[in-house]
Amino acid sequence: MTTDDLASSTSDASLARTQARSAAIETEIDADPSRFRVLTGDRPTGNLHLGHYFGTLRNRVRLQRRGVETFILVADYQVITDRDGVGPIRERVFSLLADYLAAGLDPEATTIFTHSSVPALNQLMLPFLSLVTDSELRRNPTVKAEFDATGGRPMSGLLLTYPVHQAADILFCKANLVPVGKDQLPHLEQARVVARRFDERYGRGGLDAPVFPQPEALLTKAPSVLGTDGEKMSKSRGNVIEIGMDADATAKALKKAVTDSDRNITFDPVGRPAVSNLLTLAALASDGDEVELAAQIGDGGGGALKKVVTEAINEHLAPVRARRAELAADPAYLLSVLRRGNERANAIAEETLDQVRGAMQMDYTTAP
Ligand code: TRP
């Protein structure tokens, strides 16, 4: 692959190829889940909402249950790429942990860890930075989009280089599969470039295979869930339903949801995005079908629709929320989960860093 592939990794043709490959990978997982190691993660910038829950969390739990070894990164260092300061980070990390575990991630099967606790992971960034050029980073579409979204704030060195950091996230544990949305595809290409160039430039230090695998994206056919106003679900728009909200707060948020004046409820995502999104939420939460739900509601109008979606979500999330409340009341347990995850991530990162030093002839622990 050339650097131009990096910039074009979001083109239609490339996207179609990645989608086809993802479908093939799904079959390979069924045949032999032990061939894969998954890494994915989130920035701890706020509480997880239904967009995360239906979009990614449920898929992670599904991969875990199919027997794929999974690493989940709480990307605390990535929080400081595009903002000043860290915010109430500690609280957010533990809240994220509670969301993960309540949704069904099992710390016996899945390693959950924080960036800042794994020095050897971060150290990989140094040799990795030697393998990329600044123009390559400036062309990265995701970096560009995030830079534009900061509204005139100067580009920090960390924002410019965070795709390289993200390559370290993926490669430190030799993950070969990364479930992501399509906005993250340029990062995955960057990780592949780094892995390949490392092999070309520094070699293998006596290993018989490259130190790093070529990680692949797993594009999931995640439903796209909008906020209660029919726009992208995001905290700043005040249109989110958080996993951790209680049933009353959920009902209140949905009461304010945008509908329209046509009392006859129909599923028409293009013509009636807000109404259709509520139907999608109800369908996801009740394992139902949007068109059937719409037919059942008929000309009950927005009020009946909101009642259906509120009940479906509250019923679906009741066990998740009960578990979340138990977890939140037991910070010592959450801490023990994170400590165990960090210990395991550290052991793996140290081993990889040793191989990197070996390949780079920087191993000074044994006599020449
Ligand atoms: N960039 C991702 C996000 O903003 C989080 C993340 C950090 C990540 N490191 C990663 C995702 C490695 C996948 C692989 O959501």
Side-chain angles (χ1 to χ4, degrees), residues 25-37 66-68:
I25 290 171
E26 290 287 353
T27 316
E28 290 173 24
I29 292 173
D30 287 332
D32 183 6
S34 72
R35 282 181 45 206
F36 295 96
R37 179 178 271 186
R66 288 159 85 195
V68 182

Side-chain angles (χ1 to χ4, degrees), residues 39-43 73 75 78 115 146 162 166 169-170 178-180 184 187-188:
L39 180 126
T40 186
D42 301 287
R43 301 178 190 198
L73 163 66
Q78 209 172 86
H115 257 157
E146 287 190 31
Y162 98 88
Q166 196 154 318
D169 297 343
I170 296 167
V178 186
V180 283
Q184 297 282 309
H187 292 339
L188 218 77

Side-chain angles (χ1 to χ4, degrees), residues 203-245:
R204 301 175 184 180
L207 301 175
D208 46 9
V211 175
F212 298 109
Q214 287 280 295
E216 294 192 275
L218 183 64
L219 273 179
T220 44
K221 20 181 194 345
S224 98
V225 170
L226 303 173
T228 52
D229 56 357
E231 306 276 341
K232 186 179 158 59
M233 194 179 273
S234 80
K235 202 180 185 77
S236 58
R237 297 188 59 92
N239 64 0
V240 304
I241 296 171
E242 290 172 3
I243 297 173
M245 274 181 174

Side-chain angles (χ1 to χ4, degrees), residues 90-351:
R90 199 182 146 81
E91 199 183 308
R92 284 178 175 165
V93 168
F94 283 98
S95 166
L96 188 57
L97 207 52
D99 283 333
Y100 285 162
L101 301 180
L105 288 174
D106 171 7
E108 297 300 324
T110 297
T111 302
I112 305 173
F113 67 102
T114 33
H115 257 157
S116 61
S117 311
V118 189
L121 179 162
N122 294 293
Q123 189 169 332
L124 289 178
M125 182 141 170
L126 209 150
F128 285 4
L129 280 169
S130 75
L131 301 169
V132 300
T133 65
D134 85 310
S135 61
E136 196 166 70
L137 293 169
R138 283 178 210 285
R139 277 200 309 271
N140 181 304
T142 312
V143 170
K144 270 194 198 160
E146 287 190 31
F147 175 63
D148 290 345
T150 60
R153 208 174 175 284
M155 173 86 83
S156 75
L158 191 62
L159 178 55
L160 183 64
T161 56
Y162 98 88
V164 185
H165 195 209
Q166 196 154 318
D169 297 343
I170 296 167
L171 296 175
F172 95 93
C173 66
K174 306 192 178 184
N176 57 2
L177 200 55
V178 186
V180 283
K182 59 178 193 279
D183 65 307
Q184 297 282 309
L185 288 177
H187 292 339
L188 218 77
E189 296 293 354
Q190 185 71 75
R192 295 164 66 84
V193 167
V194 164
R196 201 197 60 235
R197 289 185 190 154
F198 186 89
D199 196 52
E200 288 164 0
R201 186 170 305 174
Y202 298 118
R204 301 175 184 180
L207 301 175
D208 46 9
V211 175
F212 298 109
Q214 287 280 295
E216 294 192 275
L218 183 64
L219 273 179
T220 44
K221 20 181 194 345
S224 98
V225 170
L226 303 173
T228 52
D229 56 357
E231 306 276 341
K232 186 179 158 59
M233 194 179 273
S234 80
K235 202 180 185 77
S236 58
R237 297 188 59 92
N239 64 0
V240 304
I241 296 171
E242 290 172 3
I243 297 173
M245 274 181 174
D246 64 20
D248 284 347
T250 303
K252 239 187 227 153
L254 284 163
K255 207 165 234 148
K256 286 189 304 190
V258 174
T259 52
D260 56 36
S261 56
D262 185 350
R263 291 196 57 81
N264 185 31
I265 299 303
T266 53
F267 184 59
D268 172 9
V270 176
R272 303 176 76 183
V275 163
S276 299
N277 178 56
L278 293 178
L279 287 166
T280 296
L281 283 172
L284 286 168
S286 63
D287 255 329
D289 174 80
E290 286 113 332
V291 176
E292 271 169 35
L293 282 167
Q296 279 161 23
I297 299 164
D299 55 14
L305 171 61
K306 288 177 184 180
K307 189 158 174 277
V308 166
V309 64
T310 302
E311 276 169 13
I313 290 172
N314 281 341
E315 194 175 315
H316 181 99
L317 287 183
V320 174
R321 287 166 166 172
R323 172 103 182 98
R324 196 186 187 287
E326 274 171 34
L327 288 160
D330 194 353
Y333 173 71
L334 291 176
L335 187 63
S336 75
V337 167
L338 192 54
R339 287 178 71 131
R340 240 186 317 150
N342 283 336
E343 238 167 70
R344 179 161 156 70
N346 268 301
I348 291 170
E350 297 281 0
E351 201 180 316

